[in-house]
Amino acid sequence: MTVPLRSARLEVEDALAANELFQRNGWSDGLPIVPPTESRVADCLTSANIAPDEILGVESVRRLAVSAEKVAINAVMAGCLPAYFPVVAAAVQAMCEAPFLLHGATSSTGGSAPFMVVNGPIRRELGMNATHNVLGNGNRANATIGRALRLVLVNVLGCVPGGLDRSTLGHPGKFSFCIAEDEEDSPWTPLAEERGVPAGASAVTVMACAPPRQVMNEWTTNPEDILETFAADMRANMLAYSVWPGNYALVIPKQLRDPIAAAGWQKRDVRDYVWRAARVQRSEWRGVGKAMLAARGEEKQEFAALATPDDLLVVAAGGPAGGFGAVVPPWFGSKSRAVTRAIGLCVTC
């Protein structure tokens, strides 16, 4: 099928020349790109059955429309295979929904990145990684799908460091931050299903996040003790970074997940415990060099990391060995909310 494209054509000698051109023009994230030829872009669009001129979303502050063609171009640049494009398209749609606060999340000095969790059959179809080194390198689908979002932000929305992107530090997740949930080796309900997507459907959840924080507890099998380690890190994040409540994500690998599940705990029990445990008092700011904040109100005033238990995203993922887990904090409390979007399916139609 021939897909008519509207983007400008650029003639170059070879792939190396294309890369040098893109680097000179600031159209990359600093890494080499795959030249987005017309046929490669068309293959992506055909894979998702999306017309080039379909608008996947609008960045509401500057009223910038994000077309499927432009997203496909950046997906090719990121190294995505055509089969990956439905995930990229759904993630872009999710980021453009109002609760995500796309403009704020991409222009803040806080330097957030979109954290993506993929659920459903498409994980297996694409060979996505949900286990060993899940937050790191080594899987083509994870790496390039996440990278495609960054390139869309740079090239379609102008989120260039020092320009619209005002990050003081940023973090490595701004290259790529995409994982799959380990549904096969977990007794828990998948994240997307918990958030309203029908069982058996594929979906992506996108959350604007600060850098992930690794925790470790290999000295207990008690669910409360394991989760207290996660809650302690959330409390530390509240004191050292941002006290405001919002979506946190916990990535819980098998060695920590199994004893929690063996005790009969489901994800809702995890959320309930952490909601109660992840709280600090104003007076605690004194211990982290923020005495002026402690003095601005009642020192016993309590702040919770989560406004409700449902604000916590619990994700089963990571390698089978090692008592490690991760806390993924929100970028700016509840100003930006996690959004879940079905892939190739309208759940409200």
Side-chain angles (χ1 to χ4, degrees), residues 22-239:
F22 277 58
Q23 295 291 342
R24 286 196 303 272
N25 285 289
W27 298 338
S28 180
D29 51 7
L31 297 175
I33 57 93
V34 175
T37 63
E38 187 169 1
S39 62
R40 288 172 180 151
V41 173
D43 286 346
C44 279
L45 293 164
T46 300
S47 173
N49 194 29
I50 298 177
D53 59 355
E54 181 172 333
I55 301 303
L56 298 182
V58 176
E59 193 274 273
S60 60
V61 173
R62 293 176 293 152
R63 305 302 301 171
L64 294 177
V66 182
S67 72
E69 177 176 334
K70 296 301 185 184
V71 174
I73 289 170
N74 285 276
V76 172
M77 290 169 57
C80 288
L81 296 178
Y84 302 172
F85 188 65
V87 182
V88 176
V92 170
Q93 290 173 321
M95 288 199 305
C96 288
E97 291 191 25
F100 188 83
L101 195 67
L102 179 58
H103 179 78
T106 53
S107 61
S108 166
T109 55
S112 75
F115 173 50
M116 300 172 57
V117 181
V118 181
N119 285 108
I122 201 164
R123 300 165 305 115
R124 298 189 302 273
E125 295 166 10
L126 303 184
M128 295 189 72
N129 180 31
T131 57
H132 296 283
N133 199 44
V134 70
L135 298 183
N137 61 300
N139 181 276
R140 182 178 188 178
N142 291 34
T144 60
I145 291 170
R147 187 188 182 200
L149 287 197
R150 176 54 48 190
L151 291 179
V152 168
L153 293 175
V154 169
N155 293 318
V156 182
L157 298 180
C159 298
V160 178
L164 182 65
D165 183 348
R166 305 301 294 176
S167 300
T168 304
L169 295 174
H171 64 86
K174 293 184 72 170
F175 278 103
S176 177
F177 201 7
C178 174
I179 70 172
E181 186 163 21
D182 188 7
E183 298 178 21
E184 288 74 22
D185 203 14
S186 170
W188 291 341
T189 303
L191 176 66
E193 187 177 338
E194 286 193 302
R195 294 175 60 81
V197 175
S202 296
V204 60
T205 299
V206 183
M207 168 186 150
C209 73
R213 303 162 61 95
Q214 184 166 286
V215 302
M216 188 266 282
N217 190 340
E218 295 187 323
W219 294 275
T220 182
T221 58
N222 180 276
E224 289 93 341
D225 290 343
I226 293 170
L227 294 174
E228 181 59 30
T229 300
F230 285 92
D233 195 83
M234 292 169 65
R235 293 193 296 266
N237 181 73
M238 295 173 72
L239 295 173

